[in-house]
């Protein structure tokens, strides 16, 4: 069945299983390292869940050399998750309140807290966050300004925002560090959405495609848009680079590393912190005389950071200190266990509490390896509590002794009646292995002495997850939204039944498997990154030496596919989907091995996604091909697996391009209902 679904021969699958199990146990551990090849699918969350289940079963969680490592495409993607860019989270993974459900602070806390473990202190985390946001204005009598927080009315991801733009519901848009005209799924729909805005603010290092689409985008060439008819007012603000500002990166190890300003920004370049701080200041100045209760959420903001220099740059360290938290008398907190729900503590992100302990920027520490311990605990600072390995109580057996001396990490010291080891124990320090709590205990006090998973509601690692996932308590295999194969595991259930789809003009889906018309798009395309370029190319395509190293968009194909389609090495090829068509140079390579899946041969096409029409090196954007179909849990797009056709030669220009796409959709019999079944 693995071979039928994945194209992996049984003998190869057995080799992988043997290697993994042989390197898991008391004396050895294995780690899973993944990146967006796992996540950018309509079942991406379930792929990660599968890894969690395997690692729990193999004893590879909470032990040195084990775990699951999310390899990031940016220096601080972990930081962007912790202090979130996501619509449905507050800092420290506190859920965003929902309209009509979370009507007051007590109800909100009651809905998110667990009776057992450290989520039992959710009220302390939430109140301390509100105090960081609103300062003295946040008091017990006004629910600590809980009503100032926005409320969710459903999914408000970046892709729902695009739909709201197209429907005329979203009138204004800030783009800071993103280039959706190239980097987001269905790039054409991104541009059409921005064309419906009243105003658009773009902050970036260079004039990226999301700043110039209104005058030189692909739809201008095809005649689908005209500059004169676009009503969007576009404002471009040049952004400071990371070398021109102070701040922190949080990497996949949860390690906060501080960087200092190397050179001052030139011209009108400004940091993100400068832009948001002074925008907030100007808004509050405009509203200063307002008596409208709706304006209080701006006027009550406690943005009183000191500024310095001729640009009046806010102090990034002052922001970090507020994130770390204060107790009474503005005394810096040492960690999240000191947080209270009575308003006496303030903390901008509870998992970061202690990063400014003792009034010292712990993230800026740089003690050399030779001068410290094996876990490098004095190099920067890792959340939470400078702990380098989460759930490390699992590195010891239930009785508190290490599973092996070779892999000893933290253990119970009976003589000192406490947990000790090479790392900060991820467990109450005085909770003895044999402890059994009373029935009425709550929070951390309700943990047993062997409950290693202190953030779970029962202290256990979950193989079966009855809550937290939209698409089920156990992982299941579903084919991608667009797939050349029927699902051999579940028969009639082709796709994830709760995936998010948006069937509308410009975002049509392909027939899949045995559905009529699937043969029109017989090949699988996967997008990926190159070492020489960075995400949507906003920095690297404007760097001459990087543009020279990777000067042109290319597609990777196998010799067999090249022969089947008449493609020539270094020649041109056109890739076509229902959404768009792109041209690329052909790279014929044995790296793209044809797969044998469910008795058929499937050819794969590899396509980097860094290009666009601006910069020193230009080309079509791979995301012209992709649709907007999302994982239902985290709302990430599926761009790691889609179907397409490939043909030799360059793509059509001007109005001929939309005609080509319409011809393909007609041949495949695509309608608004194609690919939308539950």
């Amino acid at each position: 069945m693995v071979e039928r679904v994945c194209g992996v021969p049984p003998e190869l699958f057995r080799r992988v299983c043997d290697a993994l199990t042989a390197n898991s146990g008391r004396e050895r551990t294995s780690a899973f390292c993944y990146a967006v090849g796992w996540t950018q699918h309509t079942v991406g969350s379930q792929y990660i869940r599968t890894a969690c289940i395997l690692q729990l079963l193999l004893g590879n969680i909470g032990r040195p050399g084990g775990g699951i490592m999310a390899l990031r495409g940016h220096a601080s993607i972990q930081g962007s998750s912790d202090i979130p860019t996501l619509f449905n989270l507050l800092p420290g993974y506190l859920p965003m309140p929902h309209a009509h459900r979370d009507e007051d602070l007590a109800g909100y806390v009651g809905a998110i807290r667990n009776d057992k473990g450290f989520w039992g202190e959710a009220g302390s985390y939430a109140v301390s966050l509100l105090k960081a946001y609103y300062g003295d204005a946040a008091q017990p009598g006004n629910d600590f300004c809980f009503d100032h927080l926005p409320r969710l009315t459903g999914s408000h991801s970046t892709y729902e925002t695009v739909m709201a733009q197209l429907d005329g519901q979203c009138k204004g848009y800030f783009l800071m560090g993103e280039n959706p005209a190239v980097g987001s799924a269905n790039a054409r729909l991104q541009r059409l959405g921005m064309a419906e805005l009243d105003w658009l603010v773009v902050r970036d290092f260079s004039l990226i495609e999301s700043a110039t689409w209104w005058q030189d985008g692909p739809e201008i060439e095809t005649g689908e848009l005209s500059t004169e008819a676009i009503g969007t007012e576009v404002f471009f603000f040049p952004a400071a680079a990371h070398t021109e500002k102070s701040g922190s990166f949080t990497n996949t190890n949860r390690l906060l590393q501080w960087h200092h300003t190397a050179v001052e920004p030139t011209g009108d370049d400004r940091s993100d912190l400068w832009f948001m701080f002074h925008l907030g200041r100007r808004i509050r100045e405009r509203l200063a005389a307002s008596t409208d209760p709706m304006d209080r959420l701006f006027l009550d903001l406690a943005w009183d950071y000191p500024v310095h220099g001729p640009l009046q740059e806010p102090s990034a360290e002052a922001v970090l200190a507020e994130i770390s938290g204060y107790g009474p008398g503005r005394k810096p907190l040492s960690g999240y266990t000191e947080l209270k729900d009575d308003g006496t503590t303030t903390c901008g992100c509870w998992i970061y509490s202690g990063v400014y302990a003792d009034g010292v920027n712990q993230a800026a520490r740089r003690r050399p390896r030779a001068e410290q311990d094996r876990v490098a605990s004095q190099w920067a600072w890792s959340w939470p509590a400078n702990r380098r390995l989460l759930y490390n109580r699992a590195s010891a057996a239930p009785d508190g002794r290490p599973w092996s001396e070779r892999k000893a990490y933290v253990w119970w010291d009976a003589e000192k009646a406490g947990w000790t080891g090479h790392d900060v124990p991820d467990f109450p320090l005085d909770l003895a292995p044999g402890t059994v709590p009373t029935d009425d205990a709550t929070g951390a006090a309700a943990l047993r002495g062997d409950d290693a998973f202190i953030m779970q509601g029962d202290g256990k690692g979950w193989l079966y997850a009855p809550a937290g996932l939209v698409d089920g308590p156990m992982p299941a295999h579903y084919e991608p939204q667009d797939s050349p194969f029927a699902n051999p595991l579940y028969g009639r259930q082709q796709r994830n039944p709760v995936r998010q789809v948006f069937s509308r003009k410009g975002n049509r889906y392909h027939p899949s498997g045995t559905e009529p018309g699937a043969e029109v798009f017989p090949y699988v395309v996967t997008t990926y990154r190159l070492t020489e370029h960075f995400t949507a190319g906003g920095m690297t395509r404007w760097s001459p030496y990087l543009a020279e190293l990777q000067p042109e968009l290319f597609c990777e194909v196998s010799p067999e596919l090249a022969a089947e389609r008449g493609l020539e090495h270094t020649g041109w090829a056109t890739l076509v989907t229902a959404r768009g068509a792109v041209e690329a140079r052909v790279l014929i390579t044995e790296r793209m091995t044809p797969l044998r899946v469910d008795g058929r041969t499937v050819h794969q096409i590899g396509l980097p996604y860094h290009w666009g029409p601006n910069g020193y090196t230009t080309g079509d954007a791979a995301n012209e091909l992709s649709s907007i179909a999302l994982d239902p849990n985290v709302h990430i797009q599926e761009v790691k697996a889609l179907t397409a056709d490939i043909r030799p030669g360059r793509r059509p220009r001007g109005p001929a391009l939309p005609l080509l796409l319409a011809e393909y959709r007609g041949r495949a019999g695509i309608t608004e209902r194609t690919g939308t079944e539950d």
Side-chain angles (χ1 to χ4, degrees):
M1 181 55 71
V2 170
E3 184 173 31
R4 285 187 64 193
V5 172
C6 306
V8 179
E11 58 274 12
L12 177 57
F13 180 56
R14 179 59 183 262
R15 281 178 56 198
V16 173
C17 294
D18 287 345
L20 183 59
T21 54
N23 286 278
S24 302
R26 287 180 179 268
E27 299 298 327
R28 304 189 68 84
T29 50
S30 294
F32 282 170
C33 301
Y34 75 91
V36 292
W38 275 10
T39 57
Q40 291 180 345
H41 291 273
T42 49
V43 288
S45 295
Q46 294 289 7
Y47 287 152
I48 318 306
R49 273 281 296 140
T50 303
C52 294
I53 290 172
L54 287 172
Q55 291 295 70
L56 283 166
L57 289 170
L58 292 168
N60 286 325
I61 296 293
R63 304 185 63 209
I68 302 169
M69 301 289 289
L71 305 181
R72 308 298 197 173
H74 186 285
S76 198
I77 290 297
Q78 183 66 55
S80 296
S81 301
D82 301 338
I83 300 183
T85 53
L86 298 175
F87 73 91
N88 57 348
L89 291 176
L90 293 167
Y93 302 94
L94 291 166
M96 184 70 78
H98 279 255
H100 313 303
R101 186 190 74 188
D102 301 317
E103 297 188 355
D104 56 35
L105 180 60
Y108 166 75
V109 170
I112 68 171
R113 71 180 298 274
N114 288 332
D115 290 335
K116 184 174 184 176
F118 280 90
W119 270 117
E121 301 300 324
S124 299
Y125 311 150
V127 170
S128 298
L129 174 64
L130 291 168
K131 289 294 291 185
Y133 281 163
Y134 304 114
D136 291 340
Q139 296 295 329
N142 61 13
D143 237 3
F144 296 102
C145 293
F146 178 71
D147 284 345
H148 287 356
L149 293 179
R151 298 296 199 270
L152 297 180
T153 57
S155 178
H156 303 284
S157 78
T158 178
Y159 293 106
E160 269 94 2
T161 302
V162 172
M163 303 306 159
Q165 293 170 1
L166 291 165
D167 295 336
Q169 298 167 356
C170 176
K171 300 295 187 180
Y173 202 41
F174 282 89
L175 282 178
M176 297 187 287
E178 294 193 32
N179 189 9
V182 166
S184 292
N186 199 328
R188 177 178 175 273
L189 218 59
Q190 306 286 333
R191 297 186 293 269
L192 293 179
M194 289 188 283
E196 297 297 324
L197 296 169
D198 290 346
W199 55 265
L200 171 68
V201 172
V202 181
R203 296 192 69 256
D204 217 291
F205 305 121
S206 51
L207 285 168
I208 57 174
E209 289 77 9
S210 295
T212 66
W213 54 269
W214 54 273
Q215 62 181 1
D216 56 13
E219 290 71 37
I220 303 298
E221 179 190 344
T222 62
E224 296 168 274
L225 293 176
S226 67
T227 299
E228 295 76 17
I230 295 171
T232 311
E233 188 172 11
V234 182
F235 302 89
F236 181 80
F237 290 87
H242 71 277
T243 51
E244 299 172 322
K245 58 189 177 184
S246 295
S248 64
F249 292 121
T250 307
N251 68 11
T252 193
N253 274 357
R254 298 167 287 104
L255 190 69
L256 280 79
Q257 299 179 84
W258 193 260
H259 62 88
H260 299 276
T261 303
V263 293
E264 291 299 321
T266 59
D268 289 330
D269 295 358
R270 297 292 186 271
S271 71
D272 306 285
L273 181 56
W274 184 96
F275 183 84
M276 296 308 298
F277 175 80
H278 287 288
L279 177 62
R281 175 182 58 80
R282 294 183 183 197
I283 290 173
R284 291 199 305 279
E285 288 174 355
R286 290 284 188 95
L287 298 176
S290 173
T291 58
D292 189 335
M294 292 182 64
D295 293 335
R296 293 311 313 174
L297 64 93
F298 300 104
L299 294 172
D300 288 343
L301 281 173
W303 284 9
D304 51 0
Y305 312 114
V307 298
H308 57 86
L311 299 180
Q312 297 291 285
E313 177 75 16
S315 168
E317 287 213 34
V319 176
L320 183 70
E322 183 182 62
I323 289 171
S324 178
Y326 295 103
R330 300 286 286 179
K331 181 182 178 181
L333 297 175
S334 297
Y336 64 90
T337 56
E338 298 177 359
L339 297 176
K340 305 293 184 184
D341 63 0
D342 58 5
T344 58
T345 58
T346 175
C347 179
C349 182
W350 72 273
I351 60 176
Y352 282 24
S353 184
V355 69
Y356 220 87
D358 302 319
V360 175
N361 185 345
Q362 307 289 328
R365 295 181 300 175
R366 295 289 186 274
R367 178 165 291 192
R369 181 188 66 84
E371 298 179 11
Q372 58 169 318
D373 56 32
R374 63 189 254 188
V375 301
S377 61
Q378 296 181 63
W379 179 277
W381 188 89
S382 184
W383 70 259
N386 201 33
R387 185 172 292 126
R388 303 306 167 107
L389 185 57
L390 289 178
Y391 297 128
N392 58 37
R393 165 65 178 89
S395 69
D399 64 5
R401 291 181 293 182
W403 292 106
S404 76
E405 289 304 315
R406 180 174 178 270
K407 285 286 184 177
Y409 195 69
V410 301
W411 55 88
W412 176 255
D413 186 329
E415 191 172 306
K416 296 181 179 178
W419 287 90
T420 188
H422 303 294
D423 195 1
V424 177
D426 195 7
F427 206 64
L429 293 179
D430 59 352
L431 185 57
T435 303
V436 177
T438 60
D439 291 340
D440 59 351
T442 61
L447 292 168
R448 290 169 49 98
D450 57 0
D451 281 339
F453 296 89
I454 61 173
M455 300 306 294
Q456 294 290 82
D458 58 1
K460 308 294 190 288
W462 287 7
L463 305 179
Y464 182 94
L469 290 167
V470 176
D471 47 2
M474 295 291 284
H477 170 73
Y478 300 108
E479 287 294 311
Q481 174 64 36
D482 294 346
S483 170
F485 299 102
N487 186 346
L489 194 61
Y490 288 112
R492 289 181 294 177
Q493 188 59 53
Q494 173 74 8
R495 305 168 175 91
N496 184 345
V498 289
R499 73 199 181 283
Q500 285 185 273
V501 289
F502 306 87
S503 182
R504 62 190 302 154
K505 185 178 180 182
N507 194 51
R508 296 302 185 208
Y509 302 113
H510 293 173
S512 292
T514 59
E515 297 168 352
E519 71 282 354
V520 175
F521 305 102
Y523 306 117
V524 172
V525 171
T526 189
T527 61
Y528 56 87
R529 309 164 192 253
L530 302 173
T531 302
E532 297 83 359
H533 284 298
F534 185 73
T535 60
M539 291 186 285
T540 52
R541 280 190 278 116
W542 274 262
S543 299
Y545 67 96
L546 291 173
E548 185 177 10
L549 287 170
Q550 286 288 0
E552 203 160 15
L553 174 65
F554 60 88
C555 60
E556 290 193 62
V557 300
S558 67
E560 294 86 347
L561 176 56
E564 185 174 302
R565 274 296 199 241
L567 306 174
E568 296 183 3
H569 187 63
T570 73
W572 289 99
T574 295
L575 290 84
V576 187
T577 69
R579 284 79 57 176
V582 302
E583 63 183 22
R585 292 289 189 176
V586 177
L587 174 61
I588 300 176
T589 170
E590 293 183 354
R591 197 171 87 109
M592 300 304 291
T593 306
L595 294 178
R596 189 74 178 166
V597 179
D598 206 16
R600 293 167 47 198
T601 296
V602 58
H603 291 292
Q604 301 181 87
I605 303 167
L607 196 64
Y609 84 105
H610 308 291
W611 273 269
N614 298 358
Y616 288 114
T617 171
T618 61
D620 288 340
N623 277 308
E624 306 292 344
L625 302 176
S626 54
S627 69
I628 299 176
L630 311 179
D631 176 287
N633 300 286
V634 297
H635 316 286
I636 199 168
Q637 71 282 352
E638 185 163 69
V639 289
K640 287 300 175 184
L642 56 143
T643 56
D645 189 24
I646 189 169
R647 48 201 276 175
R650 307 191 71 169
R651 65 168 173 81
R653 261 53 185 179
L657 180 58
L659 292 176
L660 173 70
L661 302 181
E663 185 266 328
Y664 266 85
R665 290 192 294 268
R667 266 199 296 134
I670 292 173
T671 70
E672 69 277 4
R673 297 183 61 82
T674 301
T676 61
E677 85 291 344
D678 291 336

